[in-house]
Amino acid sequence: MTNPHKVKPYLLTRSLLPENQETPIQFINNDSMENQLFYRRNHFSYPTLSYSNYWLPINGLVSAPLLLSMQDILQYPSKTVEVVLECSGDKRNFFEPKIFGEQWEKGAISQGRWKGVPLRTLLELSGVGGGAKEVVVEGYDYGHRTDLDEVYTYTRSLPIKKALDPDTIIAYEYNNQPVPFKHGYPLRLIVPQWYAMASVKWIKQISVINTTFTGPFQTIDYVYYPNKDNDQNAFPVTTININSTIQKPLDMETINTGKHLIKGIAWTGKGVIKKVEISIDGGYTWRNADILPGKDIGYGWVSWSFEWTILEKGEYTIKSRAIDSFGQIQPNLPFWNKKGYGYNAIDEIKVKVE
C-alpha cells in the first residue's frame, strides 16, 4: 500500500506565464528524470495540438518535399539517446554583476531517454539540395516578444552538419512513454551536446535553407554578448560548457561532525567527464571524488560522491570542479555575458558544522 502522507518534491516555480519551473536538483538520485520533475522552459504559452490530425512538412531546398503523418514517422528505424538537456540560462542567478532574465539557480537541467527518428533519415528522404546550409525547425508555440512588435513562433536553425548528425533526432517518446505535452508532444527535436534552446518543442515544420537563419531566437537571444555596453564580438550559444553541481549537502545547511557523503553530478557538451575534484577548504587543496560506475553514457551526466570525515566544528566552503576528455576544466570565474548564458564556474556551497 502506498503511503498517503509521503512527501514528494515539486518543481520550483520561476514564472507562470509563460511557465518556467526548475528541477529540485538536490532530490535527483538517478539518471532519468521523471516527467513531473523535468524542468520547464517556455517563451510563450502552451500551443494547442492534437495527435490525430498532426502532419509534419519538410520543405525548402529539397527535391521531394514531404508531408508526414505520425504513422509515417513511426515506421522509420528509430534511435534512443540518453541526453542531458540544460537551459543555457541555468545558474544565471549566480553571475556577478547580476543579469536580467529568468533567475535560474541550479535546476534548469534534466535528463532522460528520448526515442525517435534521426532527423538525417527524414532529410535524406526529402532529397536535401547540394547548397543546403542550415535546417530551420519551427515550433507551434508563438507570441509577442517584449523587444519586437510582431508575433513570433519559437524557431531555430541547425547548421547542416549538426542536423545530419545521426544522434540528432525527432523524438516521439520520453522514457518509453509518448513525449509529455509540456515537453513538446507529439514531436520534439533533440540535439545532444548543445544547450536545450536547440531542442525545439511541438515541431510545426522543418525547412532546408541555403542562407543563414536570422530569427530573433537565433540572432537576439541565445547569443553571447561579452561586452556590457555594445554588441561587438557576439557569438552564438551552442555546445554545453563543462559543469558540475553539488546536490548534497545543501548550501547553508547545518550538519554534525562525523562522516558525510558529498554528492553531485557533472556533465559536458563535448567528450566525457574524466575526473571530478572536491575541495573542502575553499579551493586550497583538491581531492578526487569517486565517479559512480555507469554505462558509457555519451550525452548524459555522471554522478559522483566523496566521503568527508569532519572532525572539527566550524564553517566550511565546499567546491566541485569537473575535467573532461578534452582537458576542459571548470573555471574559477564564469564567462560573463550580457544575457547570462553558459554559467559554468566551479560550484560552491557553504555548510556549518556543529
Side-chain angles (χ1 to χ4, degrees):
M1 187 178 147
T2 55
N3 177 0
H5 305 297
K6 189 179 172 201
V7 180
K8 293 188 302 195
Y10 291 94
L11 291 165
L12 308 166
T13 303
R14 296 281 161 228
S15 68
L16 284 176
L17 287 171
E19 186 180 27
N20 287 302
Q21 304 203 70
E22 64 178 275
T23 298
I25 206 74
Q26 67 270 30
F27 298 118
I28 304 314
N29 53 14
N30 61 22
D31 288 336
S32 214
M33 195 69 58
E34 57 184 283
N35 163 29
Q36 291 82 353
L37 292 180
F38 204 106
Y39 83 95
R40 297 170 188 171
R41 170 67 177 116
N42 294 287
H43 294 84
F44 307 120
S45 53
Y46 291 106
T48 47
L49 286 176
S50 90
Y51 187 92
S52 55
N53 56 7
Y54 184 85
W55 295 86
L56 176 65
I58 298 180
N59 52 40
L61 201 65
V62 295
S63 56
L66 299 175
L67 187 61
L68 301 170
S69 69
M70 284 301 297
Q71 279 62 36
D72 296 332
I73 289 165
L74 294 172
Q75 282 170 9
Y76 299 118
S78 68
K79 182 155 210 175
T80 302
V81 284
E82 183 161 61
V83 178
V84 157
L85 285 184
E86 182 187 14
C87 174
S88 54
D90 192 26
K91 305 191 182 187
R92 180 181 285 127
N93 182 265
F94 304 125
F95 275 106
E96 293 292 342
K98 290 284 185 203
I99 291 169
F100 289 97
E102 294 293 343
Q103 293 301 302
W104 298 110
E105 293 184 5
K106 298 178 184 181
I109 181 171
S110 297
Q111 81 168 8
R113 291 182 312 282
W114 301 89
K115 177 183 175 182
V117 56
L119 175 58
R120 177 182 191 136
T121 302
L122 303 184
L123 292 173
E124 286 174 346
L125 279 168
S126 65
V128 176
K133 188 175 177 184
E134 296 187 358
V135 176
V136 179
V137 181
E138 180 181 11
Y140 268 102
D141 48 331
Y142 67 92
H144 285 278
R145 289 176 54 102
T146 52
D147 57 343
L148 301 166
D149 286 340
E150 296 170 54
V151 168
Y152 287 89
T153 52
Y154 185 79
T155 306
R156 297 257 322 165
S157 76
L158 288 175
I160 193 76
K161 185 178 176 205
K162 191 69 178 170
L164 292 173
D165 186 299
D167 290 343
T168 298
I169 67 169
I170 304 283
Y172 45 75
E173 280 187 14
Y174 175 71
N175 289 351
N176 305 317
Q177 297 287 326
V179 169
F181 173 70
K182 293 198 167 180
H183 297 288
Y185 173 93
L187 292 178
R188 173 181 193 162
L189 184 65
I190 294 292
V191 185
Q193 301 178 311
W194 281 30
Y195 282 109
M197 78 277 144
S199 294
V200 178
K201 294 175 281 202
W202 309 292
I203 299 175
K204 184 179 183 180
Q205 69 171 334
I206 294 171
S207 307
V208 180
I209 59 173
N210 59 3
T211 54
T212 302
F213 178 66
T214 57
F217 293 102
Q218 193 104 5
T219 54
I220 300 175
D221 295 343
Y222 303 114
V223 174
Y224 290 112
Y225 298 101
N227 303 327
K228 198 164 183 180
D229 304 319
N230 59 50
D231 294 348
Q232 286 173 344
N233 304 321
F235 61 100
V237 174
T238 55
T239 308
I240 294 173
N241 291 328
I242 185 167
N243 218 327
S244 68
T245 285
I246 300 166
Q247 297 169 281
K248 186 183 164 187
L250 291 177
D251 189 30
M252 305 310 281
E253 192 173 342
T254 302
I255 57 179
N256 299 326
T257 53
K259 280 191 176 171
H260 285 272
L261 206 59
I262 303 170
K263 60 174 240 179
I265 53 175
W267 64 98
T268 187
K270 188 179 162 199
V272 290
I273 296 293
K274 285 295 186 193
K275 192 154 86 165
V276 177
E277 297 178 326
I278 298 298
S279 173
I280 49 176
D281 53 17
Y284 288 107
T285 59
W286 292 88
R287 294 187 247 171
N288 286 347
D290 293 318
I291 294 177
L292 298 191
K295 46 219 173 296
D296 179 18
I297 34 184
Y299 306 126
W301 62 47
V302 298
S303 295
W304 53 264
S305 64
F306 179 85
E307 192 173 272
W308 179 27
T309 304
I310 321 171
L311 303 174
E312 293 182 24
K313 298 177 179 180
E315 293 179 10
Y316 292 83
T317 298
I318 305 172
K319 298 187 175 203
S320 72
R321 70 180 179 197
I323 298 149
D324 69 17
S325 51
F326 283 87
Q328 301 181 99
I329 183 167
Q330 282 179 263
N332 284 312
L333 294 170
F335 169 67
W336 192 92
N337 59 98
K338 198 156 56 175
K339 286 192 174 243
Y341 298 125
Y343 186 101
N344 75 324
I346 289 169
D347 198 29
E348 178 181 310
I349 62 165
K350 290 186 168 63
V351 294
K352 187 178 184 183
V353 179
E354 293 185 339

